[in-house]
Amino acid sequence: MSERIFNFNAGPAAIPQSVLEEVRDDLLNYKGEGLSVMEMSHRSKSFDAIIKSAEALMKEVMEIPDGYKVVFFQGGATLQFAAVPMNLLTDGKFADYVNSGSWSKKAISEAKKLGKTVNVIASSEDDNFTHIPKGYKVTPGAEYLHITSNNTIFGTQYQEFPATGNVPLIADMSSDINCRKIDVSKFGLIYAGAQKNLGPSGTTIVIIREDLMKRSPENIPSMCSYNIIGGKDSLYNTPPTFGIYIIKLILEWIKGQGGLGKLEEINRKKAKMLYDSIDNSDFYRGTAKEDSRSIMNVTFRLPSEELEQKFVAEALQKGMLGLKGHRSVGGIRASIYNAVPMKAIETLVGFMADFKKQNG
Ligand SMILES: Cc1ncc(COP(=O)(O)O)c(C=O)c1O
């Protein structure tokens, strides 16, 4: 293939072409320093400027208020499933969780493995996770409420976040961070693996209210401790330097696009085009309930599994990659993160119309 493919992968996922070009240009000789960012000491002045700028840009782009810290971790969002209860759920107390899909279940199961008390206050499992649970109340005395803001596998997304009063709201935003404007002050902690909207895999971003950072107990592994990693400005040990550098470039790209307000507008337009082409046909069937639909992962079915396989194979021949649904649910999933251009959606929608004509 001589051109870049339209990449609908769920993660690792598309990265803006201009960012990749800048990385390529900097690869051997970063800003005339004679070495790559990969080869730099994490204690060097140059890397210090990169990590500080990544943090500052994250605060600027997300309009993070004072009193929060942006921290870079390793271990993926999966490590945070354990780190959250290790740091913030005292033995003998309990935390509330909403179960809205496979990643919520994993978060719940990691907390339980640690012997913590988990209270699942709402779940959409009985409905095959086709909607985001609503109408529940957080339990008084809970140490926090944990939610998954976007369910990558099931194509559902919170349209509004629950009001939790004094109970800190904690969100796994791995697959929808920076896809829209949010009010960070409603959250005690937000975490996200970078590999969808923020950069390459290997770096995890944690945005934590500073008063919560201080709750980390002494007897947990240092690499999981918000107080230790956050307290050392993400430089307790060697951080994922190259990933942090790319995150910085992506945040600059987001600013260049006009910020989250503008990106949200584009993302909503992209998602609407796809959902319209599903809704206006009796051939494609969306799997998420309308009031819970994700603007990042659009999931749908065709009349048969054979047709779904054919769809994925023919789409690939036409330069569209990654449309196969998650192995646990099947079907089709188009992940349309920030870096997936409008042209990709237009191409997909055109292909869907042709495919229907030929196979409907
Ligand atoms: C919502 C969500 N949470 C958690 C994870 C797990 O992330 P990681 O592979 O970074 O541990 C994923 C991965 O796709 C995800 O989509």
Side-chain angles (χ1 to χ4, degrees):
M1 173 165 285
S2 57
E3 283 177 42
R4 296 222 344 125
I5 207 159
F6 289 128
N7 183 354
F8 293 97
N9 277 337
I15 288 185
Q17 181 158 332
S18 61
V19 168
L20 293 173
E21 284 165 357
E22 189 167 348
V23 172
R24 178 198 59 199
D25 294 347
D26 281 350
L27 196 65
L28 295 182
N29 190 347
Y30 178 75
K31 312 287 178 229
E33 293 190 23
L35 79 175
S36 165
V37 173
M38 268 186 272
E39 303 170 290
M40 249 175 218
S41 164
H42 58 295
R43 311 271 174 211
S44 64
K45 256 199 181 140
S46 295
F47 185 72
D48 193 55
I50 291 171
I51 192 168
K52 287 222 168 76
S53 156
E55 271 172 47
L57 280 161
M58 195 70 191
K59 286 189 172 160
E60 183 183 344
V61 162
M62 284 185 80
E63 296 175 35
I64 300 175
D66 289 346
Y68 284 80
K69 184 124 191 134
V70 175
V71 191
F72 301 101
F73 276 82
Q74 303 186 44
T78 302
L79 188 71
Q80 297 306 313
F81 295 162
V84 166
M86 264 190 226
N87 282 273
L88 302 174
L89 181 43
T90 316
D91 288 340
K93 299 205 174 164
F94 69 94
D96 283 351
Y97 278 72
V98 175
N99 178 15
S100 59
S102 313
W103 298 113
S104 307
K105 281 176 84 165
K106 289 207 166 148
I108 291 165
S109 128
E110 288 294 295
K112 285 186 174 166
K113 266 193 208 170
L114 291 161
K116 305 286 183 178
T117 309
V118 169
N119 189 18
V120 179
I121 56 167
S123 169
S124 48
E125 190 158 17
D126 286 352
D127 190 26
N128 293 320
F129 296 121
T130 55
H131 73 275
I132 298 286
K134 273 191 210 153
Y136 51 84
K137 280 213 163 64
V138 91
T139 318
E143 296 243 275
Y144 57 80
L145 167 65
H146 180 284
I147 63 168
T148 313
S149 59
N150 185 75
N151 298 281
T152 327
I153 296 174
F154 298 95
T156 61
Q157 183 177 29
Y158 280 71
Q159 317 294 314
E160 260 175 67
F161 295 109
T164 57
N166 289 334
V167 175
L169 177 60
I170 295 185
D172 171 3
M173 285 196 189
S174 293
S175 49
D176 69 344
I177 193 157
N178 283 354
C179 81
R180 57 181 172 181
K181 271 186 166 227
I182 59 156
D183 179 358
V184 175
S185 72
K186 288 193 168 150
F187 296 85
L189 188 152
I190 293 168
Y191 63 89
Q195 64 269 23
K196 295 144 197 320
N197 260 345
L198 280 176
S201 59
T203 307
T204 310
I205 284 211
V206 174
I207 301 161
I208 181 169
R209 226 172 57 203
E210 281 166 14
D211 61 300
L212 293 177
M213 240 168 77
K214 309 212 167 64
R215 286 204 203 165
S216 308
E218 296 271 315
N219 64 346
I220 61 172
S222 305
M223 287 303 287
C224 294
S225 165
Y226 296 136
N227 197 34
I228 292 179
I229 307 294
K232 296 278 183 203
D233 297 327
S234 314
L235 290 163
Y236 172 73
N237 75 329
T238 316
T241 52
F242 201 64
I244 292 169
Y245 152 70
I246 299 177
I247 290 174
K248 172 192 162 270
L249 297 182
I250 289 185
L251 290 165
E252 285 169 352
W253 175 83
I254 291 177
K255 265 185 78 176
Q257 297 293 298
L260 290 190
K262 186 69 195 165
L263 271 186
E264 175 170 355
E265 203 182 298
I266 298 169
N267 284 333
R268 292 201 183 280
K269 217 186 247 174
K270 279 156 54 181
K272 184 171 186 304
M273 270 179 75
L274 258 179
Y275 284 120
D276 281 351
S277 85
I278 293 166
D279 292 344
N280 297 335
S281 90
D282 43 17
F283 184 73
Y284 300 106
R285 181 175 55 82
T287 58
K289 301 261 155 66
E290 244 179 281
D291 68 352
S292 301
R293 282 175 162 177
S294 167
I295 58 169
M296 291 283 99
N297 308 99
V298 177
T299 50
F300 55 98
R301 306 289 322 218
L302 271 66
S304 70
E305 282 181 27
E306 291 69 45
L307 280 171
E308 286 168 351
Q309 279 168 21
K310 192 168 177 224
F311 180 94
V312 171
E314 284 185 18
L316 184 58
Q317 278 172 6
K318 296 197 164 16
M320 288 167 279
L321 173 74
L323 288 163
K324 192 165 182 278
H326 190 268
R327 60 189 183 282
S328 62
V329 294
I332 308 291
R333 169 175 58 180
S335 296
I336 51 171
Y337 300 121
N338 289 346
V340 177
M342 186 65 82
K343 184 87 195 326
I345 316 295
E346 287 163 0
T347 308
L348 175 56
V349 164
F351 168 70
M352 284 168 72
D354 290 345
F355 190 87
K356 185 192 146 192
K357 236 181 256 159
Q358 277 152 26
N359 299 278

